[in-house]
């Protein structure tokens, strides 16, 4: 574990005890400042159990919803989070774009 965030390998111990299926999300790119670095990971089980973190605030909730959608559909997804001039960057916790 790196400080307050988890990498994929940090989730392995918890995931070994989970019955599949489960979805795993990972930060693959960051521009600007961000609460988590590339490699941060979060896993979601259909039961609602979560381990790890990829961001915080509304982004974390959105990633959880995407993970549940992936579990329901069986199809991987990629999402990009950021803000535009019409949005308030505070909702994302900081000025950043991550994928």
């Amino acid at each position: 574990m790196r400080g307050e965030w988890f990498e994929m390998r940090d989730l392995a111990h918890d995931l070994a005890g989970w019955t599949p299926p489960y979805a795993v999300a990972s930060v693959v790119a960051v521009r600007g400042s961000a609460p988590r670095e590339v490699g941060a990971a979060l896993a979601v089980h259909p039961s609602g159990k979560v381990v790890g973190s990829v961001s915080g605030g509304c982004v974390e909730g959105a990633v959880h919803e995407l993970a549940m959608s992936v579990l329901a559909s069986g199809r991987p997804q990629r999402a990009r989070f950021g803000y535009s001039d019409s949005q308030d960057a505070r909702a994302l916790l900081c000025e950043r774009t991550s994928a």
Side-chain angles (χ1 to χ4, degrees):
M1 184 169 32
R2 309 269 187 252
E4 295 294 317
W5 57 277
F6 296 79
E7 288 186 331
M8 291 283 196
R9 66 177 171 230
D10 299 318
L11 303 180
H13 178 75
D14 289 306
L15 296 181
W18 288 14
T19 302
Y22 49 84
V24 178
S26 179
V27 175
V28 297
V30 173
R31 285 194 313 228
S33 64
R36 306 288 183 267
E37 299 294 327
V38 170
L42 170 135
V44 178
H45 191 272
S47 68
K49 186 172 182 169
V50 176
V51 63
S53 178
V54 292
S55 181
C58 64
V59 171
E60 193 92 353
V63 171
H64 183 273
E65 288 179 20
L66 284 169
M68 293 301 282
S69 173
V70 166
L71 287 167
S73 71
R75 292 195 164 131
Q77 295 185 37
R78 183 173 176 164
R80 181 182 184 120
F81 297 93
Y83 72 95
S84 68
D85 290 338
S86 64
Q87 296 173 314
D88 188 347
R90 291 176 296 178
L92 295 174
L93 298 180
C94 64
E95 228 175 282
R96 71 182 190 136
T97 301
S98 60

